[in-house]
Amino acid sequence: MTVMTSNYHKSPSIVDYILHPMRQSLDNIDVRDRQFAQLVCRLIPAQCPFARDIKVFGKTVLHIPPLCKINPLYDQLMSLRFRALSYLADRCGEDISIYCV
């Protein structure tokens, strides 16, 4: 059995070059302060607030998907929020259920 590999590599776009420093900066933020961690958890929502179901007479006629995933920094923001939640729970012993709504 032969395994085929692709030699195609997507070349980085100008947007990737522009966003790379911002992505790297977000990834390098170290959460070491309780107030900062709480601020991050309050500012970055647990769920995408844009997903909606449009209903008419109780039946869903249109579903608008979460638009957060088209945000080019989505993964980095979710990672930062996770680090903040972990800091609050593990280091501060705080109940993080209020941030998981």
Side-chain angles (χ1 to χ4, degrees):
M1 183 163 105
T2 305
V3 176
M4 298 185 71
T5 59
S6 173
N7 290 334
Y8 174 77
H9 295 284
K10 180 183 170 193
S11 61
S13 69
I14 189 71
V15 174
D16 291 328
Y17 284 115
I18 292 170
L19 291 176
H20 181 72
M22 292 172 63
R23 287 179 177 141
Q24 211 168 19
S25 293
L26 285 169
D27 283 338
N28 290 333
I29 294 175
D30 193 18
V31 180
R32 293 184 184 180
D33 179 63
R34 178 185 220 135
Q35 288 180 329
F36 176 70
Q38 291 170 338
L39 178 67
V40 166
C41 292
R42 282 193 306 267
L43 291 178
I44 302 173
Q47 296 178 353
C48 187
F50 303 112
R52 298 282 185 261
D53 285 328
I54 309 297
K55 295 184 178 192
V56 176
F57 301 115
K59 292 195 174 220
T60 302
V61 293
L62 179 65
H63 173 73
I64 302 171
L67 301 177
C68 292
K69 294 191 179 178
I70 64 172
N71 179 347
L73 301 174
Y74 177 78
D75 292 333
Q76 287 74 26
L77 290 170
M78 291 298 104
S79 177
L80 175 59
R81 186 175 198 283
F82 180 75
R83 291 193 309 271
L85 286 169
S86 297
Y87 177 82
L88 290 173
D90 297 341
R91 297 286 174 108
C92 301
E94 189 172 319
D95 178 17
I96 59 170
S97 62
I98 61 170
Y99 303 113
C100 300
V101 178

